[in-house]
Amino acid sequence: MRLLMDLFITFFKMGCIAFGGGYALLPIIQREIVENKGWATNEEVIDYFAVGQCTPGIISLNVSTFIGYKHKGIIGSICSTLGFIAPSIIIISIIATFIAEFSHLPVVNYAFAGIRVCVCVLIFNAVISIGKTGVIDKLTLIICLIVFGLAVFTNVSPILSVICAGLAGIIIKSVKKGEDKE
């Protein structure tokens, strides 16, 4: 029961600051889940983000569900998920009540402009963090650059990119294992 409450409270706190989407929250999830709680490794969190990107829903919500499930099964995933979404429901309900009255004020527009810049920095920080863990050799760097090029210069679906990158990883690892046996 204590772990279930800890899952709920931990993800409730993250849900309170979940501005800018899943990737902006990645550094916070890594610090809290990997470093402070020890509930997952950096590699697991990145794997959860990859799967969360390919599944319906909010990435960071999916990650919280995966972590809850890892530790306490279905009930753990429910506690983590409810903890993560509860602040959003409360905050959105409050904002919806007052947004029409205050959205025209310059100070509100300035605040949102500042928040957008902050979110960009948080996302960039997440990219650097994921890059350090994900790009481990020349071949993974090549995969990274190809996927980056596809994302920036084409309309290739992110799901297709993830699937192809996963297949490339399997093929590369299989070839390396074959070479190691010889």
Side-chain angles (χ1 to χ4, degrees):
M1 189 65 167
R2 184 177 174 100
L3 179 58
L4 292 175
M5 186 57 92
D6 199 15
L7 285 166
F8 180 86
I9 291 169
T10 298
F11 285 102
F12 184 90
K13 288 190 287 185
M14 282 191 251
C16 287
I17 55 171
F19 297 99
Y23 291 114
L25 197 60
L26 178 60
I28 296 163
I29 289 175
Q30 284 181 316
R31 185 179 58 244
E32 188 65 25
I33 301 305
V34 176
E35 296 170 17
N36 295 347
K37 300 289 185 179
W39 288 343
T41 65
N42 272 329
E43 291 78 15
E44 287 174 320
V45 170
I46 290 169
D47 290 344
Y48 295 154
F49 266 82
V51 173
Q53 175 71 34
C54 298
T55 55
I58 302 164
I59 297 169
S60 49
L61 177 62
N62 293 343
V63 171
S64 68
T65 304
F66 296 148
I67 292 169
Y69 186 83
K70 175 184 176 187
H71 290 284
K72 281 303 229 180
I74 297 290
I75 192 73
S77 66
I78 291 169
C79 287
S80 297
T81 301
L82 290 176
F84 193 83
I85 65 170
S88 295
I89 292 170
I90 294 166
I91 292 167
I92 289 170
S93 297
I94 293 169
I95 290 173
T97 304
F98 298 107
I99 192 77
E101 296 176 38
F102 298 107
S103 64
H104 67 283
L105 296 175
V107 69
V108 173
N109 291 319
Y110 298 150
F112 280 123
I115 290 170
R116 284 191 296 272
V117 170
C118 178
V119 168
C120 290
V121 171
L122 291 172
I123 291 171
F124 181 72
N125 184 36
V127 168
I128 298 299
S129 179
I130 290 172
K132 288 178 182 176
T133 305
V135 180
I136 56 175
D137 57 21
K138 290 178 185 176
L139 292 172
T140 54
L141 177 61
I142 291 169
I143 293 171
C144 176
L145 293 173
I146 290 170
V147 172
F148 177 78
L150 290 172
V152 172
F153 300 112
T154 71
N155 290 327
V156 172
S157 165
I159 294 170
L160 183 60
S161 293
V162 170
I163 291 169
C164 290
L167 290 172
I170 291 169
I171 292 167
I172 290 167
K173 193 70 167 176
S174 298
V175 169
K176 278 187 174 182
K177 279 186 180 178
E179 290 174 357
D180 291 342
K181 288 181 181 179
E182 293 175 3

